[in-house]
Amino acid sequence: MPDRNSIEKREAEKEKDKVVVLDFGGQYSHLIVRRCRELGVYTELLPYDMPLEELKKGIEREKGKIKGIILSGSPFSVHEPNSPKCSFEILDLNIPILGICYGAQLIAYVNGGVVGEGRKSEFGRTELLFEDSDLFDGLTERGSEGGRINVWMSHGDVIERFDGADIIGYTMNSPVAAFRISISPYRACGVVGQSPTIYGVQFHPEVHHTDKGDKILWNFLYKICGCERNWTIESFVRDKIEEIKSAVGNDGRVICGLSGGIDSSTTALLINKAIDNRLTCIFVDNGLLRKGEKEEVLNTFKNNFKMRMVFVDAKERFLERLWGVKDAEAKRKVIGELFINIFEEEASKLGNVDFLAQGTIYPDRIESAGASSRNASRIKSHHNVGALPEKLGLKLIEPIKDLYKDEVREVAKELGMPPQILNQHPFPGPGLAARVIGEVTEDKLRVCREASHIVEEELKRSGWYDKVWQAFAIVGDDVATGVLGDARSLGRIVTIRVVESREAMTADFVKLPYGVLESMSKRITNEVKGVTWVTYAISSKPPATIEPC
Ligand code: XMP
């Protein structure tokens, strides 16, 4: 078995240079990361209060070096006593910095600029007049000294004055909409030397509504930070396969819990490409699967990809343990624990296993407590970040832990994943139990499964399935009167939930045409025995979450 030190050393050698985004809680923080990655530079989101020493170490490393720092936006004003503030000494780290919105205000604020509170807020598209600079290079005709573009603004406070900075852009309401400084006050206080340039923009280059926003970010990444292009899906797949090969060694064995969802499927496929049948996938039917899911997973991975698989029919064990459990978190706990037990049993039957592969993705790590914010509250415990590896005494492999959902889909496509798995909506670890409110019973599961299937079928038929993030049916214990034939009778209430979202951090209900909702409703009451009413969930996240439990 390969030793841990050599694995860690090899992994460190493979690390990519990167840009980091310090997250002050802005609504577009993730978008900044996504855009930079799309532009070809590996980018990570870090908490705003990342210790200076850590950043310093990152900058000084030979491999996996931090080449630039972006400060995100924030819902706070720099004047609020509890507003998030990073160590101001980052301005002195000898590395290019770009402040966006709040980030720009913070840089101005600590360098003697005047940030006015809420008097000239701007929301939406605004015309920016800019001057020639590295940041705006290529935005205008060669030789011209500046130009104008439409940019996206979303701010309450405004930088009113910033003496000592080069003002390189302004709008009607923002006299300092873009600036450049080369000398921080720390240097002015005695530390001498040429500092790299620090930029600030009041607008949001990461938002599509900003004309040529990508070019502005491109300039920062490539011209100002001197990054190399090191992030494409093809290179990710190639490097990951090599990384897995060297981490697992020539005779290491891996097990992977396969649920049929895109994350675990992509994880399994990547590992399978690297080590072939030294990977064994464990697929547990917990009775909480979607209609037809079991058959599809077995067919795809066992028959099509010829993977080594263990199938465990644990429907009854799960239902028995869920009996009488009503609370959402308690259900998750029961399901998570039983899943671990079954996994342990199967792993010990297999014997000789060294690694456990998990399909954890980037937003899982963030929602399950703070990859980017130390203070992030635990919203729901996503069970794939649990205690499985310690319990099993196995080393963990999480090949897609740095990826966003869209990136996982691109990786899956690159690996030849069939469209029915590639294009399916996300499905939660606790399965249909997340959509059955209150106690999970066989009858409620039947209603939820059948009704969800109808929702999906109708969306596919009407061309909406690929346009929405997630769609399913929810059932609880509420009943309502209906008329069946000539008789009045009580039946279950089914709620349809269809949401659009980016990365599931926020979501909005989809304004489906009434015709589509009507056919869903008709089919559910006609085809799913025991349902009298169908309703549509029209809450956004926040305050609601996507799943009801
Ligand atoms: P919520 O309901 O928190 O869901 O808005 C956000 C996204 O996560 C999925 N989800 C889960 N995934 N285990 C998972 O693996 C879970 O316990 C879980 N709960 C929610 C949900 O389907 C949505 O895509």
Side-chain angles (χ1 to χ4, degrees):
M1 202 166 98
D3 84 276
R4 188 180 284 265
N5 289 344
S6 70
I7 292 170
E8 280 167 8
K9 192 160 161 258
R10 274 199 300 261
E11 283 191 351
E13 279 167 6
K14 292 238 158 62
E15 265 201 68
K16 294 179 185 305
D17 287 353
K18 61 187 143 199
V19 161
V20 299
V21 177
L22 294 191
D23 182 13
F24 292 89
Q27 57 178 328
Y28 302 129
S29 300
H30 282 280
L31 202 53
I32 304 172
V33 178
R34 294 292 317 277
R35 288 280 170 269
C36 294
R37 288 188 186 184
E38 279 164 17
L39 290 168
V41 175
Y42 180 57
T43 306
E44 277 181 5
L45 195 64
L46 296 180
Y48 69 87
D49 54 355
M50 193 71 192
L52 190 71
E53 280 312 308
E54 293 288 314
L55 290 173
K56 258 190 197 155
K57 268 192 231 152
I59 291 164
E60 283 157 12
R61 288 173 69 168
E62 235 172 80
K63 298 267 176 190
K65 205 182 175 77
I66 298 176
K67 304 277 282 187
I69 299 178
I70 299 180
L71 311 185
S72 83
S74 171
F76 287 89
S77 157
V78 290
H79 297 290
E80 285 175 68
N82 294 329
S83 59
K85 304 239 166 57
C86 54
S87 163
F88 296 143
E89 287 169 57
I90 67 160
L91 300 177
D92 225 19
L93 281 177
N94 223 18
I95 187 170
I97 292 180
L98 172 65
I100 296 180
C101 195
Y102 175 90
Q105 292 168 2
L106 201 57
I107 296 170
Y109 178 72
V110 298
N111 283 284
V114 178
V115 181
E117 275 180 275
R119 283 190 293 272
K120 287 187 175 167
S121 52
E122 283 174 299
F123 295 94
R125 218 185 282 263
T126 311
E127 191 179 55
L128 173 87
L129 280 80
F130 62 87
E131 289 178 10
D132 213 12
S133 73
D134 276 353
L135 195 63
F136 297 134
D137 190 56
L139 264 61
T140 49
E141 297 289 310
R142 232 166 223 291
S144 74
E145 294 201 337
R148 350 173 138 230
I149 48 168
N150 283 321
V151 297
W152 188 257
M153 290 286 195
S154 176
H155 62 102
D157 288 0
V158 69
I159 307 168
E160 291 174 349
R161 257 183 53 198
F162 192 2
D163 296 342
D166 290 336
I167 312 303
I168 53 172
Y170 53 93
T171 69
M172 275 281 280
N173 282 335
S174 285
V176 188
F179 63 79
R180 172 178 57 190
I181 52 172
S182 305
I183 297 177
S184 79
Y186 301 98
R187 287 187 180 75
C189 294
V191 188
V192 194
Q194 176 62 39
S195 71
T197 313
I198 293 170
Y199 288 88
V201 289
Q202 181 59 79
F203 61 90
H204 289 274
E206 70 278 17
V207 170
H208 278 309
H209 307 293
T210 292
D211 294 344
K212 303 188 180 164
D214 274 356
K215 177 65 177 149
I216 297 170
L217 286 176
W218 191 96
N219 285 339
F220 179 71
L221 298 172
Y222 291 104
K223 271 187 101 79
I224 297 168
C225 299
C227 294
E228 279 180 0
R229 191 175 163 78
N230 64 5
W231 185 256
T232 61
I233 292 303
E234 300 78 37
S235 72
F236 173 86
V237 169
R238 210 177 37 238
D239 293 354
K240 256 316 153 198
I241 290 175
E242 285 311 306
E243 233 176 73
I244 295 164
K245 274 186 190 162
S246 82
V248 174
N250 289 332
D251 46 22
R253 294 188 176 273
V254 183
I255 51 170
C256 175
L258 187 65
S259 70
I262 187 81
D263 302 342
S264 64
S265 300
T266 307
T267 302
L269 212 46
L270 260 176
I271 296 176
N272 181 255
K273 291 261 185 232
I275 60 163
D276 198 15
N277 62 9
R278 280 185 289 130
L279 164 73
T280 305
C281 290
I282 300 179
F283 175 44
V284 181
D285 182 353
N286 54 11
L288 307 168
L289 301 177
R290 283 170 285 195
K291 188 169 175 172
E293 195 165 12
K294 180 182 103 187
E295 294 72 19
E296 186 176 294
V297 171
L298 288 174
N299 187 38
T300 305
F301 293 94
K302 202 167 172 189
N303 303 341
N304 188 5
F305 287 119
K306 309 271 180 251
M307 282 193 197
R308 190 181 278 235
M309 278 188 73
V310 173
F311 171 68
V312 188
D313 184 348
K315 287 198 287 291
E316 286 182 11
R317 279 176 80 179
F318 274 88
L319 264 185
E320 229 168 70
R321 289 282 284 279
L322 284 167
W323 194 79
V325 185
K326 295 188 174 133
D327 173 70
E329 273 298 289
K331 284 193 279 187
R332 272 161 206 269
K333 202 155 168 253
V334 166
I335 295 165
E337 280 172 5
L338 187 50
F339 189 74
I340 291 175
N341 292 346
I342 292 173
F343 224 84
E344 270 182 303
E345 290 163 16
E346 296 304 319
S348 78
K349 277 189 214 160
L350 282 170
N352 250 349
V353 178
D354 315 297
F355 296 88
L356 170 75
Q358 282 192 338
T360 315
I361 67 169
Y362 203 44
D364 290 341
R365 294 199 287 143
I366 288 167
E367 282 219 344
S368 295
S372 84
S373 168
R374 280 165 209 294
N375 307 320
S377 63
R378 197 185 183 92
I379 300 165
K380 281 178 191 172
S381 45
H382 289 227
H383 79 242
N384 46 344
V385 198
L388 199 47
E390 294 97 77
K391 266 201 121 182
L392 293 173
L394 299 177
K395 276 181 259 157
L396 191 59
I397 309 188
E398 296 178 299
I400 55 170
K401 72 178 189 324
D402 294 323
L403 300 187
Y404 287 95
K405 201 79 172 186
D406 295 1
E407 292 173 318
V408 177
R409 287 210 176 96
E410 284 175 50
V411 168
K413 198 167 172 193
E414 177 74 17
L415 293 168
M417 190 79 76
Q420 66 275 22
I421 292 197
L422 194 61
N423 301 326
Q424 70 179 325
H425 293 164
F427 189 57
L432 295 181
R435 297 168 181 179
V436 166
I437 300 175
E439 189 182 355
V440 179
T441 64
E442 238 168 302
D443 191 55
K444 279 157 85 182
L445 278 175
R446 171 190 63 83
V447 171
C448 184
R449 184 176 288 120
E450 294 294 329
S452 290
H453 186 64
I454 292 174
V455 169
E456 291 198 0
E457 272 190 343
E458 286 304 310
L459 282 182
K460 284 178 187 160
R461 206 176 51 82
S462 57
W464 278 87
Y465 185 86
D466 292 332
K467 295 186 206 154
V468 309
W469 175 265
Q470 253 173 312
F472 49 88
I474 297 162
V475 66
D477 293 308
D478 286 343
V479 288
T481 310
V483 192
L484 286 177
D486 290 331
R488 289 168 77 80
S489 67
L490 280 182
R492 292 195 181 279
I493 301 177
V494 162
T495 300
I496 298 170
R497 180 94 167 123
V498 184
V499 296
E500 55 196 8
S501 173
R502 279 195 81 102
E503 316 300 351
M505 308 302 270
T506 59
D508 202 0
F509 77 94
V510 177
K511 283 79 185 169
L512 281 180
Y514 282 147
V516 177
L517 286 170
E518 189 180 12
S519 17
M520 286 177 184
S521 166
K522 271 194 181 149
R523 281 194 59 196
I524 291 171
T525 43
N526 285 343
E527 296 173 31
V528 188
K529 197 164 166 274
V531 180
T532 43
W533 280 47
V534 176
T535 63
Y536 192 47
I538 55 169
S539 300
S540 299
K541 173 181 180 177
T545 50
I546 295 176
E547 308 285 352
C549 13

